[in-house]
Amino acid sequence: MSPLQSYSMFFSILIIILLQSSPTSSQSHLCRSSCGNIPINYPFAIDDGCGSPYYRHMLICSDNNTKLQLRTPSGKYPVKSISYSDPHLLLSDPYMWSCQDRDNFRPTRSFSIDSSTHFTVSLQNDYLFFNCDPEKVIVEPKPLYCERFPDRCDSSCDSSSYLCRHLPECGGSVLGSRVSCCSYYPKATQSLRLMLQNCATYTSVYWRSNGAGNGPYDQVAEYGIRVDFEFPVTMKCLLCQETTKGGGVCGFDTKTHEFLCLCKQGNVTTYCKDPNFEKHKRIGAVAGTVTAVSSAGAIGVVGGIFWYLRKVRAKAPVTCGVQSNENRIF
């Protein structure tokens, strides 16, 4: 083999080593546990490979790890809080009407959730619509309308609702006589879009507990959107998180979506203190990852190859610039 071929083969090996020393697709580090003041626990995550694959790429943490957002088909929405005991997220929508707008209606867009995800828009939300076209939307006091047309009761937008008469966080009604308000719960995203085609704007109000513990009266109306989520608890995840088993973090392989327990030493399919994990580590086969050579190791291998090349070249008998078969490296 000529010197040119030898060097070409050498650089091919070098490239392979460097590629192997790059980070793998699975996470062997512990995942970030918060974004700003919002705790990020299973099933959610802001690092790929952490949490449940059901919610992969759904949450975004930006602005130096201070701003949490939920990604949906209709846009990105700031997350106000996450409850894991009563599984739901509270979102704010800067495009919706607010008290500061009064009767100055801005262009808005309808909020939507992908029906294929494990999120659902909560039934605890109420929607207020403003300045709807009375020829296309039934805007009437709901109790009276329901008495006259019980079969069409659900299609009416209640103009006498409590929320229209007591706009949350506004110190009472801030709407002038030129503005109409009605309350209606859309049955689907499509009906919300249709309402917005015939109304100037809308806003969403959810009901939260005020901490008084008075049952149905322990409710306060706030602007925003409540989104419920499913909590996919598995025995593997519980075992992984068990502190006596090593206190790992539940995650998944980013290629196969198979469960992984993320430990400080690497990834494993069971739990961090699994004796078999140590055996796998000794043979260089950590579950869910590619066996990698460290950067320092790569540098050492490269140095060794250079040393070997110099040694061979020093001893190699060369005739007319062509090496003999006796001193070929490959």
Side-chain angles (χ1 to χ4, degrees):
M1 180 179 291
S2 68
L4 181 61
Q5 290 175 316
S6 299
Y7 284 122
S8 176
M9 185 67 75
F10 160 71
F11 282 113
S12 297
I13 292 177
L14 176 60
I15 290 172
I16 292 172
I17 292 172
L18 293 177
L19 286 174
Q20 286 183 325
S21 63
S22 63
T24 66
S25 60
S26 300
Q27 303 295 306
S28 60
H29 66 283
L30 296 183
C31 310
R32 282 178 288 175
S33 59
S34 66
C35 181
N37 60 353
I38 301 177
I40 306 297
N41 301 325
Y42 185 85
F44 296 125
I46 50 181
D47 298 301
D48 196 17
C50 302
S52 168
Y54 289 161
Y55 301 104
R56 186 181 185 186
H57 302 317
M58 301 295 285
L59 290 179
I60 308 163
C61 187
S62 57
D63 293 353
N64 294 322
N65 206 43
T66 60
K67 182 180 180 181
L68 186 65
Q69 293 177 299
L70 175 69
R71 180 189 283 115
T72 80
S74 55
K76 299 174 184 177
Y77 299 89
V79 179
K80 300 168 69 174
S81 64
I82 301 178
S83 171
Y84 297 94
S85 55
D86 177 18
H88 69 271
L89 293 81
L90 296 179
L91 312 177
S92 61
D93 183 356
Y95 290 92
M96 288 183 176
W97 179 88
S98 65
C99 299
Q100 292 75 21
D101 294 328
R102 295 181 175 268
D103 57 357
N104 298 316
F105 299 133
R106 298 169 291 131
T108 188
R109 61 187 180 189
S110 61
F111 175 79
S112 66
I113 284 286
D114 186 349
S115 59
S116 67
T117 66
H118 293 257
F119 287 114
T120 54
V121 178
S122 175
L123 294 176
Q124 296 187 34
N125 296 317
D126 279 307
Y127 296 90
L128 301 180
F129 295 86
F130 303 97
N131 275 16
C132 297
D133 185 347
E135 295 184 0
K136 298 181 178 179
V137 179
I138 303 171
V139 182
E140 286 195 32
K142 194 154 192 171
L144 297 176
Y145 184 81
C146 292
E147 287 180 10
R148 299 199 316 271
F149 307 101
D151 57 327
R152 300 177 61 193
C153 181
D154 286 345
S155 62
S156 66
C157 193
D158 187 7
S159 59
S160 64
S161 72
Y162 172 85
L163 291 175
C164 279
R165 291 180 287 110
H166 303 86
L167 291 170
E169 304 175 11
C170 296
S173 178
V174 297
L175 300 176
S177 58
R178 297 182 296 109
V179 179
S180 67
C181 171
C182 63
S183 177
Y184 173 72
Y185 186 86
K187 300 301 180 184
T189 300
Q190 184 61 27
S191 61
L192 178 57
R193 294 196 189 101
L194 290 174
M195 286 290 288
L196 277 177
Q197 289 177 9
N198 302 300
C199 302
T201 189
Y202 85 118
T203 193
S204 174
V205 177
Y206 66 88
W207 295 88
R208 67 167 179 83
S209 171
N210 63 11
N214 296 325
Y217 303 102
D218 177 24
Q219 298 289 313
V220 176
E222 266 189 27
Y223 291 107
I225 308 168
R226 172 174 166 144
V227 175
D228 297 333
F229 66 90
E230 297 177 22
F231 210 113
V233 177
T234 66
M235 288 304 297
K236 284 186 177 181
C237 182
L238 294 174
L239 192 64
C240 170
Q241 292 176 327
E242 174 60 47
T243 54
T244 60
K245 299 291 185 180
V249 177
C250 300
F252 59 93
D253 188 297
T254 56
K255 291 182 178 178
T256 66
H257 285 191
E258 294 296 325
F259 173 81
L260 285 178
C261 184
L262 311 183
C263 312
K264 291 181 180 179
Q265 304 90 341
N267 303 337
V268 65
T269 55
T270 52
Y271 52 90
C272 297
K273 289 187 177 181
D274 186 346
N276 292 324
F277 183 29
E278 293 300 321
K279 295 178 183 178
H280 290 321
K281 284 176 62 181
R282 280 196 292 271
I283 63 174
V286 178
T289 65
V290 179
T291 305
V293 180
S294 67
S295 298
I299 293 172
V301 172
V302 172
I305 293 176
F306 270 120
W307 173 84
Y308 185 68
L309 281 174
R310 290 179 62 187
K311 182 178 180 181
V312 169
R313 288 187 62 189
K315 294 183 178 181
V318 179
T319 306
C320 299
V322 178
Q323 291 181 320
S324 68
N325 288 331
E326 296 177 358
N327 59 22
R328 286 189 174 182
I329 303 176
F330 306 107

